Amino acid sequence: MLKVHHLNCGTSCPWGGRLFDGTSPGWLTGHIVCHCLLIETDAGLVLVDTGFGMRDVIEPRRLARFFRVLNNIRLRPEETAIAQVRALGFDPRDVRHIVISHLDFDHAGGIEDFPNATIHLTAREKEVADERRGGAFVGTRRYRPRQWDEAADWRLYPMGGGEPWFGFDAVRQLEGLPPEILLIPLAGHTWGHSGIAVDAGGGWLLHAADAYFFRGEIGSEQRACPPGMRAYQRMMEVDRIARRSNQAKLRALSLGHAAEVRIFCAHDPVELRALQA
């Protein structure tokens, strides 16, 4: 059985408060997280996304000023994945694999903190990120190649194919990883965006990354999302039809298979606290 740790690898306090996160008591600043996973496996430690890295903390200009200001990012060394791996009593060199949902600045910042790790993601995401094709305005700001340009060991996978998983295409047999970890294509937020499913023994966990941003977008027939967060999703999307279609499929999955699959996104602090508990 795999053991899964739920980590917050980056805090932001976006302007708009409750209009943005739906939870904060005030209207000035909100609170969102970078929900990452550390998984103990026989193949070594596996990270799912990395949040902000130590190099981002040391040199904030690695991140685009537009997003540093808009999201009011708080770069804290103790929240980096490498610091939390150490705090859990592990050696960072034992992180052998990193599975990346997509290469946005708040998901890939810690890649180079683990130089011995093999990085797994879709080939489409690596292609568009290298060319910074993530939207006319957003593309050059969301992708920060300095966060991963020293990484050498990549494993790239197709968006299509694989065996079906609860109605989704699944990329199985990630090289060197146990079969309990799957890459689930969920395009829309970016061209090569994916979720990561983990069979933790007592049911599936599905890290849906940025396929949705707010807990009210799944779990009920009617989608609910604060206006600020809704606007942010639209600004970041590259394919609205694909994003909304995949989000609807996640909502259906959350209603039809709640006992078998627990779904969570990358940025909702309420979901993170519930899973940490």
Side-chain angles (χ1 to χ4, degrees), residues 59-74:
E59 189 182 353
R61 289 186 179 182
R62 278 168 40 112
L63 310 177
R65 178 177 176 82
F66 173 76
F67 284 113
R68 295 202 319 266
V69 173
L70 176 67
N71 293 344
N72 195 17
I73 297 170
R74 310 295 173 90

Side-chain angles (χ1 to χ4, degrees), residues 9 15 36-37 46 59 72 85 93 102 113 135 156 164 191 204 224 275:
C9 295
W15 303 108
C36 302
L37 306 179
V46 179
E59 189 182 353
N72 195 17
V85 167
R93 291 174 295 184
H102 62 302
D113 289 338
L156 306 177
W191 297 113
W204 287 93
L275 284 157

Side-chain angles (χ1 to χ4, degrees), residues 3 14 25 33 40 43 47 80 93-94 106 135 152-153 196-197 203 218 227 240 253:
K3 185 174 182 180
V33 298
E40 299 180 44
L47 269 174
T80 61
R93 291 174 295 184
D94 290 333
D106 52 344
D153 192 0
I196 296 89
I218 65 167
R240 178 167 299 178
L253 178 62

Side-chain angles (χ1 to χ4, degrees), residues 61-116:
R61 289 186 179 182
R62 278 168 40 112
L63 310 177
R65 178 177 176 82
F66 173 76
F67 284 113
R68 295 202 319 266
V69 173
L70 176 67
N71 293 344
N72 195 17
I73 297 170
R74 310 295 173 90
L75 294 170
R76 299 165 175 161
E78 67 272 15
E79 288 186 347
T80 61
I82 191 170
Q84 294 188 68
V85 167
R86 290 192 179 111
L88 287 167
F90 299 114
D91 188 330
R93 291 174 295 184
D94 290 333
V95 175
R96 305 291 175 80
H97 300 272
I98 301 174
V99 186
I100 293 289
S101 63
H102 62 302
L103 286 168
D104 271 355
F105 63 94
D106 52 344
H107 294 255
I111 285 176
E112 291 179 351
D113 289 338
F114 303 94
N116 298 320

Side-chain angles (χ1 to χ4, degrees), residues 32-176:
I32 61 175
V33 298
C34 294
H35 189 160
C36 302
L37 306 179
L38 181 67
I39 309 172
E40 299 180 44
T41 79
D42 291 339
L45 298 176
V46 179
L47 269 174
V48 174
D49 283 349
T50 67
F52 299 114
M54 193 61 74
R55 296 191 189 186
D56 299 323
V57 174
I58 295 169
E59 189 182 353
R61 289 186 179 182
R62 278 168 40 112
L63 310 177
R65 178 177 176 82
F66 173 76
F67 284 113
R68 295 202 319 266
V69 173
L70 176 67
N71 293 344
N72 195 17
I73 297 170
R74 310 295 173 90
L75 294 170
R76 299 165 175 161
E78 67 272 15
E79 288 186 347
T80 61
I82 191 170
Q84 294 188 68
V85 167
R86 290 192 179 111
L88 287 167
F90 299 114
D91 188 330
R93 291 174 295 184
D94 290 333
V95 175
R96 305 291 175 80
H97 300 272
I98 301 174
V99 186
I100 293 289
S101 63
H102 62 302
L103 286 168
D104 271 355
F105 63 94
D106 52 344
H107 294 255
I111 285 176
E112 291 179 351
D113 289 338
F114 303 94
N116 298 320
T118 299
I119 304 149
H120 305 259
L121 77 162
T122 66
R124 180 66 166 152
E125 183 66 14
K126 184 65 163 58
E127 174 192 354
V128 297
D130 284 341
E131 298 175 3
R132 304 180 84 174
R133 289 190 286 118
F137 175 79
V138 171
T140 58
R141 294 165 176 83
R142 75 188 313 163
Y143 292 131
R144 313 303 288 176
R146 289 180 63 192
Q147 292 181 321
W148 67 79
D149 59 5
E150 295 179 14
D153 192 0
W154 298 84
R155 297 293 186 272
L156 306 177
Y157 304 92
M159 286 291 287
E163 298 179 30
W165 181 86
F166 291 100
F168 294 88
D169 288 336
V171 177
R172 295 177 183 265
Q173 298 178 342
L174 300 182
E175 293 183 39

Side-chain angles (χ1 to χ4, degrees), residues 170-196:
V171 177
R172 295 177 183 265
Q173 298 178 342
L174 300 182
E175 293 183 39
L177 290 175
E180 292 87 355
I181 301 176
L182 310 178
L183 201 63
I184 311 294
L186 294 171
H189 177 70
T190 68
W191 297 113
H193 180 275
S194 59
I196 296 89

